[in-house]
Structures are given as C-alpha cells and as structure tokens.
Amino acid sequence: MMKTLSLTQIENILENLDPIPAIEQGFVEYSKGKCNIPPIGELLMDKGDVHIKYGCITGEDYYVIKIASGFYDNNKIGLPNSNGLMLLFSQNTGELICTLHDQCLLTDIRTAIAGAITAKYMAPKNISAIGIVGTGVQARMQAEYLKSVTPCRDIVVWGRDPEKLVNYRNDMRQSGFKVTATMDMDELCASANLIVTTTPAEQPLIKADQIRPGTHITAMGSDTPNKKELDVNILALADVVACDSKEQCYIRGEICHAIKAGVIDMANTLELGNIIDGQKGRINDQQITVADLTGVAVQDIKIAEAVYLASLG
Amino acid sequence: MMKTLSLTQIENILENLDPIPAIEQGFVEYSKGKCNIPPIGELLMDKGDVHIKYGCITGEDYYVIKIASGFYDNNKIGLPNSNGLMLLFSQNTGELICTLHDQCLLTDIRTAIAGAITAKYMAPKNISAIGIVGTGVQARMQAEYLKSVTPCRDIVVWGRDPEKLVNYRNDMRQSGFKVTATMDMDELCASANLIVTTTPAEQPLIKADQIRPGTHITAMGSDTPNKKELDVNILALADVVACDSKEQCYIRGEICHAIKAGVIDMANTLELGNIIDGQKGRINDQQITVADLTGVAVQDIKIAEAVYLASLG
C-alpha cells in the first residue's frame, strides 16, 4: 500500500510528466477558497531550521505534509544546504500513501512552474527576450520551464558576480538558449519584455523608470517580509498587479512593501488563480504587469499528487 | 544512511529495550528549559484530523517530527482509527536519519511510560492494589508498564460497560494480574492506593471524599481543555500536585480546571522533571499526591531516538 519514491525515481517520473495543468488547477482551487492550509510550522535550531508546510484541498483524495530544511554549513562538508521530503496521505483514512524523498527538487520545480504559468497568462504575446535577474538555481529553472509557454530562446541575464554570470551563460547555452550576460540592469530592461527576478535581494534591483511599456515582471525571489527586488513604484505604475496568495502577500513579498508605502491597494490586485479561472489580467501588449510569487502549499499538494499518480503507471 | 523501521521491526526492538531511562532524562531536560518545542500543527478535515508534534532538545543530535492522525470511521472499514509515524532528523545537517512507521505504538508506549515514571517517583512505597479507571488501550498499557516499577499485580478496574470490564479482566489476567472488575468507584478507591485514570471523561469520575490518605493518582486521560476525570477538590486537598508540563497544564488537563475554580495555584505545583531531578515530591506514605499528564513532545523525541539507536545494534 505505502509507496516510497527516491530522488532518482522522482526524476525519472518527471521526464514523462507535465505537472503544469495540475498546478494551474491548484491555483484556481486556492483562489476559490477550497484549500485548507494551516500556518507554517517552524523549528529554529543552532545549525539550521526546518519548515513544515501542509494542507489539502477540501474533499479531494490526499493531504500533503512537506518538510523542508536549510542547514547553511552543509556545503562545507559536501552536503546540500537545502533538504526535504513530502508525505502524501489519504484524506479519507489518514493512511500514509507515499513518501517522496525529493530533496527539495519538487519545491524547485513547482516554484519554476508557477513562473511558467504566470508568464502563460500574463506575459505579452511576443517575447523579445527573457530577462533573468539572478544566477542561481531558480534563475536556471525558471528559464527551463518557460520553454513550454514561449518559443523565445533569448535570455538576458543580470548578476553581480562575473564568474557566476559566465557559468550561467555556459549552462543555459547547453540547454538551447542564446544568452547575453550583463551587469547593467538597463541593458536587461531594454531588451527583455518578460523579466523574472530570482534573487534574495533586500533592496530594489529594478527601478520604475527602467521598465518599458509591454513588460511583464514575475518577482519570485522575495518570500519573506524583508526581501524585495522591485521598486514599489513599479507596482504603482503597473496596469495589473497579481500574486499567488493575497493572504501571504499582506506580510511577505513585493506587494506588502508597496501597500506599506501606500502606493497600491490589495483590493486592486488579482490572484493568479482568478486570472487562470478567466478574470481579465493583461488586456493588450502595451500594459505593464507584475506578478508577486511567494509560494503556496497548494503547489506542493498538487505536484506531490501528480508525481504519485504518475508513479502508478 | 537513511533507515526505515516498520511496525514489526519496532516491536522487535522494543522487546529488548527499556525506554524508561531515556524518557526520564527527557522530562528532566524539559523541566530545565532545554527543549525547543513549537506549537502543535493541526489540520482538520471532513473525515479526520492530523496533528504534527515536533521539536528537539537544544544541542543534542536529533530532532523529531511526529505525525498522528485520527479518522473516526476507519474502524467501520477494518482500519485503525489512529495512525501515525515519527521522523528522526539530524540536528547537525537536517538529514532524515530514520522513519519510524510505528502506527501510534510509540505514542501509546511513551504515554504508558510517563505513568510508570510518575508512579516510581510519586506513589507510596507499598502498593496495596492498582486502581485502573477505564478499560481501553491505555488502561491496559499503563498497567503493563507499572510492572517495572512495582511488584504489585493486583488490579481493581472501574468501567461503565460490563462487557468491556470482562474483556479487560480476561486480558490482564493473561498478562499476570489478579483483576477485580467493578462499576463502583468507592470499591476501587477503598482498595487501591495507586490510581491511574485513563478515560476521556468530561465530568469528574472520582470525588474528593473517596480518596484515602496515602493515595497517588495519575490522571492521564485528560489532554484537552474540556476533558476532566477528577473533582477539582482532589487537587485542592492533595499534598503534592505535579504535572508533565506547567505550560500545557495552564490550558489542558486537570490542573487548569482546578486553577479556574480557584482552588489551587500553579506556583504550588511541580513538574515531573523537577521531581526526577531531585526536588521533593511525596515525603511520607500518608500524603495524597496527584499527577496530571497531558503528554509532551520530549517523550516522542526520546522514544524515537531510543528505538533508532537500539536498531543500530
């Protein structure tokens, strides 16, 4: 009855699985208020911390508990800093159905998929170039998952560290992209009309006057009350401001800073699930749109379920 | 590296393992303020609920996450109502070290062991008879684990349902006890001087005038704000009132009702860990003592760790 999936097994399953439709569906159900997602559990220890995210979609088959840890000296001893697993249980009997030892891979993927879904529903029709801000794991994965929603294979990547920029360029070229690396944000904003910010910055990296009409920005790096990647005035001038979860964005991400600065009102924002479900987001290719992604547990629920169901063959 | 223990493997390990010393140690560390135990996570669903208890002893090797569910129609389809597992992680690297698929067995055992430890430190020297209030799982397990702390093998069991009383008597006779079953609490209180209450009662089952001098009562059935098994006047007249966790007993168990009624003061209670660590509890065999056990996560931490370490051989 109970199944265990190793990281390798999960990687193999993902080769023939597109979790985007399931996660889109999850965002819709989330925005309809069908999700039961308690506050995140947190255990802070001397050498690291662990977060427990859990919940379910009311009346569906499964509930999911995700355990994710960060131990920031692990790299020094050859271990990954981030670690984690997901547990899928029956919502009918409470039985453990599947343990997914994904070591955070599914979190990385569901995060990248949220970016792809956002671009699918909010980006302008023709993407001139994809602007990637940052050079880390999500800077790579966001671009990978955008492949399924745009034919554009031109990346302008911005970073502060030339070595990391070179590594990024080399990696993404191998993955089929044409990559321009820059340390000048003006250059990125001038050529990209789909920008994805993926950094843990605590001071804005992009200014309002750098943004051209017809640009969409997905800000996914900021997920705490302190982080922010965008000048609040970008949100003020945007025609559409969306987010994954209004409830979360009151206290973390980009939107909370803009609300605190008094330049936008939560009542004028949309949830991604609303837009997927048919509410109007972008209405022409001259509008500026912004999406603030902080990550919601329904993404974990949906990707764990999709991988488990695919494992049944 | 990562280990998985099935229920059968855990049962085998327990045959040669006495977890009492580890759990005693845990209570001492808890009362010294060395434990890091966040609030319990809770997910309430249509057909059941799940509770996530987690924490660690600061600076030790492991942290533990326990997932325990109750799905109250499971029995109708031949499944246990209660289910659960424990996950043991490294406090140094965050790595999952061991998954214990104990299906709640370890919770039942650590609960029974807390009763045994309480009796060891608080009961009078000579036990005339063990009074067991209730006929369920803990009514059996509490008696089993008392074997290691008293030579007394006489049980007086009280219950409301004659059939359950007969089943209890038969089971415990097989386990080496002499059992008297009664539906009259006076009879139990007249012969037993070590009483363990194990019911989910919400109205007191024992009155103050039924308690003889020299009696110790361990009340372990009440673990929510609504449940109570003892007349608050029993706590008022007791010479010693102890509990596993003052923090918890402010809001659940027997002590909170007695404080609300204004008949005792938390300042005059002791924690079990204080008594194990040398603070004076009972000082003679004429005193009346009461212990209120609501269950603390340090018991889960210690029993999971003990079983894992024993599995290494």
Side-chain angles (χ1 to χ4, degrees), chain A residues 186 206-212 231 234 237:
Chain A
D186 278 333
I206 310 183
K207 299 271 172 322
D209 60 14
Q210 293 177 304
I211 299 302
R212 292 180 303 141
D231 181 354
I234 296 177
L237 67 80

Side-chain angles (χ1 to χ4, degrees), chain B residues 124 192-193 210-216 239 282 285-288:
Chain B
N193 60 348
Q210 294 177 304
I211 298 301
R212 292 180 302 141
T215 299
H216 170 78
D239 297 285
R282 170 182 294 278
D285 282 352
Q286 291 308 304
Q287 289 189 309
I288 292 174

Side-chain angles (χ1 to χ4, degrees), chain B residues 7 9 24 26 30 32 59 76 81 90 99 123 149 168 195 214 233 247 253 257 276 281 290 299 308 313:
Chain B
L7 177 59
Q9 287 173 311
E24 278 194 19
Y30 179 80
K32 283 185 171 167
K76 294 182 191 163
N81 283 355
S90 163
T99 304
V149 297
Y168 183 89
I195 299 175
N233 292 319
E247 193 183 329
H257 296 292
I276 298 169
V290 175
Q299 297 165 254
Y308 167 66

Side-chain angles (χ1 to χ4, degrees), chain A residues 119-137:
Chain A
K120 176 177 165 189
Y121 287 94
M122 295 187 72
K125 226 167 287 139
N126 299 308
I127 308 298
S128 52
I130 298 164
I132 298 285
V133 178
T135 54
V137 172

Side-chain angles (χ1 to χ4, degrees), chain A residues 36 41 44 47 54 74 92-93, chain B residues 36 41 44 47 74 92-93:
Chain A
N36 179 357
L44 308 175
K47 295 183 184 165
Y54 56 106
N74 275 5
N92 290 306
T93 64
Chain B
N36 179 356
L44 308 175
K47 296 184 184 164
N74 276 5
N92 290 306
T93 64

Side-chain angles (χ1 to χ4, degrees), chain A residues 2 36 38 41-45 47 50 54 63 65 67 71 74 79 87 91-96 101, chain B residues 2 36 38 41-45 47 50 54 56 63 65 67 71 74 79 87 91-96 101:
Chain A
M2 195 198 73
N36 179 357
E42 181 177 66
L43 179 65
L44 308 175
M45 289 161 286
K47 295 183 184 165
V50 58
Y54 56 106
Y63 71 90
I65 298 176
I67 298 164
F71 279 72
N74 275 5
L79 292 173
L87 301 152
Q91 212 178 127
N92 290 306
T93 64
E95 287 169 294
L96 176 60
H101 293 283
Chain B
M2 196 198 75
N36 179 356
E42 181 178 66
L43 179 65
L44 308 175
M45 289 162 286
K47 296 184 184 164
V50 58
Y54 55 107
C56 64
Y63 70 90
I65 298 176
I67 299 165
F71 280 72
N74 276 5
L79 291 173
L87 301 152
Q91 211 178 129
N92 290 306
T93 64
E95 287 170 293
L96 176 60
H101 293 284

Side-chain angles (χ1 to χ4, degrees), chain A residues 64-312:
Chain A
V64 170
I65 298 176
K66 177 170 91 170
I67 298 164
S69 66
F71 279 72
Y72 300 101
D73 286 341
N74 275 5
N75 279 344
K76 294 182 191 162
I77 53 168
L79 292 173
N81 284 355
S82 296
N83 213 326
L85 73 158
M86 295 189 187
L87 301 152
L88 184 89
F89 296 86
S90 163
Q91 212 178 127
N92 290 306
T93 64
E95 287 169 294
L96 176 60
I97 303 294
C98 185
T99 304
L100 298 99
H101 293 283
D102 68 301
Q103 295 175 28
C104 286
L105 176 67
L106 294 177
T107 299
D108 288 338
I109 290 176
R110 62 82 155 160
T111 302
I113 285 176
I117 293 171
T118 303
K120 176 177 165 189
Y121 287 94
M122 295 187 72
K125 226 167 287 139
N126 299 308
I127 308 298
S128 52
I130 298 164
I132 298 285
V133 178
T135 54
V137 172
Q138 277 298 316
R140 288 162 167 79
M141 293 191 69
Q142 290 282 337
E144 284 303 333
Y145 277 85
L146 284 172
K147 282 179 176 172
S148 68
V149 297
T150 172
C152 176
R153 296 292 177 269
D154 289 305
I155 289 176
V156 187
V157 60
W158 176 94
R160 284 199 171 100
D161 180 333
E163 199 180 322
K164 289 183 180 167
L165 278 173
V166 169
N167 288 339
Y168 183 90
R169 190 177 57 189
N170 294 343
D171 289 351
M172 298 313 283
R173 277 179 179 165
Q174 293 220 329
S175 173
F177 287 98
K178 198 170 145 280
V179 183
T180 307
T182 181
M183 296 172 75
D184 176 4
M185 193 64 81
D186 278 333
E187 188 182 349
L188 180 145
C189 294
S191 53
N193 61 348
L194 167 57
I195 299 175
V196 185
T197 64
T198 69
T199 77
E202 299 196 353
Q203 292 301 324
L205 300 173
I206 310 183
K207 299 271 172 322
D209 60 14
Q210 293 177 304
I211 299 302
R212 292 180 303 141
T215 299
H216 170 77
I217 308 176
T218 297
M220 55 70 46
S222 172
D223 58 354
T224 71
N226 293 328
K227 294 185 201 165
K228 66 171 162 180
E229 302 180 271
L230 305 181
D231 181 354
V232 292
N233 291 317
I234 296 177
L235 284 80
L237 67 80
D239 298 283
V240 182
V241 176
C243 62
D244 48 8
S245 159
K246 291 190 186 192
E247 193 183 330
Q248 271 182 197
C249 289
Y250 272 112
I251 49 168
R252 54 187 79 222
E254 305 296 331
I255 287 175
C256 73
H257 297 292
I259 290 177
K260 233 173 273 169
V263 300
I264 69 162
D265 192 318
M266 190 64 91
N268 299 324
T269 67
L270 290 171
E271 277 188 351
L272 187 52
N274 303 140
I275 298 176
I276 298 168
D277 201 31
Q279 221 164 310
K280 215 61 210 158
R282 169 181 295 276
I283 54 173
N284 65 54
D285 282 352
Q286 291 308 303
Q287 288 190 310
I288 292 174
T289 54
V290 175
D292 184 8
L293 303 182
T294 55
V296 289
V298 72
Q299 298 165 253
D300 301 317
I301 296 167
K302 283 295 180 181
I303 199 163
E305 185 180 285
V307 169
Y308 166 66
L309 293 175
S311 79
L312 302 177

